[in-house]
Amino acid sequence: MKFLLPLLSLLFALPPAARADTITVYTSANFAPLVIDGSRGIYHDAIDYLNKQAPQGTSFRLAYLPRKRLQMRLEDGTLDGIVIGMMPQWFDDIAQKKYLWTMPFAVDRFVLVSRTERPLQPDVPGSLSGKSIGLTLGYVYPGIDEWIQRHGLVRQDAMSEEINLEKLRRGRIDCVAVSESVARYFVRLHSLNGSLTFVDLPGRATERRFLVPLGRNDLYDTLLPIVKRMRDDPQWLRATARYQ
């Protein structure tokens, strides 16, 4: 015991930079290929990349938080970490003044997916009116929501994009608005080549960024140089290519 006390005193006397610092990275995604079986996928690979590139004594861990709770904790200032895979438009922060944002580490886009046997053709006037479209519960789709209203589609929400694609495959809905990476992974996983048709949806590409709460410049300064390297790093590009 007489040896333990001096060691504890030394530990607490160390400056903050010398202590282990684990940063929680939150996500509201629970669907492939972003998160697969809760233990792998693009976001888990991203955390592995951060941990390999982080300064000594700093580590990252991924944690799930439902979208509504995530947004609530961001808005009331109680979120004790950062967020992966978001973009400013989803948080009404186009000017990037509510939060700190990195540059994108991946770029995706939304597509309209329908069955090849009954393809939807957005260019044909009136062809979408009354058709059911699967979307994710609680999500806002800037640019796409207005397009859905304009064409008279009927929104049907599910808990995830993967559930929507399964409903489409079984013929329970007419189409799905979904990230292209998610749709292509679903096609590959279920050997559905030729069974589903993709059409690009309007709106800007989905930029997957890291969000850091205001006032946490220490976290932002740690993260920013890693993400700058990440987006063009062949190692990262090879990791994400596995899901295409």
Side-chain angles (χ1 to χ4, degrees), residues 7-240:
L7 285 173
L8 289 174
S9 300
L10 178 61
L11 175 63
F12 287 106
L14 288 173
R19 300 177 196 162
D21 184 15
T22 300
I23 299 166
T24 302
V25 183
Y26 289 101
T27 178
S28 58
N30 59 356
F31 48 84
L34 301 182
V35 176
I36 304 171
D37 298 330
S39 59
R40 56 192 180 92
I42 292 175
Y43 285 176
H44 283 278
D45 288 348
I47 298 306
D48 289 343
Y49 184 92
L50 294 184
N51 283 326
K52 289 174 182 175
Q53 300 289 330
Q56 187 174 7
T58 299
S59 64
F60 297 85
R61 71 177 188 93
L62 190 66
Y64 173 76
L65 198 61
R67 177 61 182 268
K68 286 187 177 180
R69 286 178 57 196
L70 177 63
Q71 186 147 0
M72 196 184 311
R73 290 181 60 180
L74 275 170
E75 290 173 353
D76 66 18
T78 60
L79 192 77
D80 57 338
I82 63 179
V83 187
I84 187 174
M86 297 299 183
M87 58 189 289
Q89 287 77 5
W90 297 348
F91 286 87
D92 192 25
D93 192 25
I94 295 176
Q96 299 186 32
K97 292 186 177 180
K98 293 168 63 176
Y99 308 107
L100 303 173
W101 297 90
T102 69
M103 68 287 297
F105 63 88
V107 178
D108 207 341
R109 68 172 300 109
F110 275 87
V111 292
L112 185 73
V113 185
S114 58
R115 285 172 292 159
T116 303
E117 62 192 39
R118 297 179 63 185
L120 296 190
Q121 300 173 308
D123 294 337
V124 177
S127 64
L128 302 183
S129 181
K131 300 294 186 182
S132 56
I133 182 168
L135 297 170
T136 303
L137 182 67
Y139 277 50
V140 175
Y141 299 79
I144 297 175
D145 285 331
E146 295 80 5
W147 181 87
I148 288 171
Q149 274 193 324
R150 192 163 62 248
H151 284 277
L153 287 153
V154 179
R155 178 167 178 160
Q156 290 193 15
D157 289 347
M159 294 303 295
S160 74
E161 295 180 317
E162 190 174 21
I163 292 174
N164 278 323
L165 287 167
E166 183 61 29
K167 288 170 66 177
L168 175 66
R169 183 164 78 124
R170 294 174 180 272
R172 292 166 55 193
I173 52 178
D174 296 307
C175 60
V176 174
V178 64
S179 301
E180 185 175 8
S181 63
V182 174
R184 293 202 180 281
Y185 184 82
F186 185 86
V187 166
R188 175 184 164 190
L189 183 66
H190 296 283
S191 302
L192 296 175
N193 286 325
S195 298
L196 299 178
T197 298
F198 296 1
V199 176
D200 289 344
L201 281 170
R204 62 178 298 160
T206 299
E207 298 174 340
R208 302 200 184 281
R209 304 171 180 244
F210 288 94
L211 176 161
V212 180
L214 280 181
R216 293 307 312 266
N217 294 69
D218 56 328
L219 294 184
Y220 187 73
D221 291 343
T222 297
L223 191 63
L224 191 61
I226 301 176
V227 180
K228 279 184 178 179
R229 294 191 298 269
M230 179 181 188
R231 58 182 183 169
D232 296 318
D233 188 336
Q235 178 185 346
W236 169 247
L237 297 176
R238 283 195 300 271
T240 56

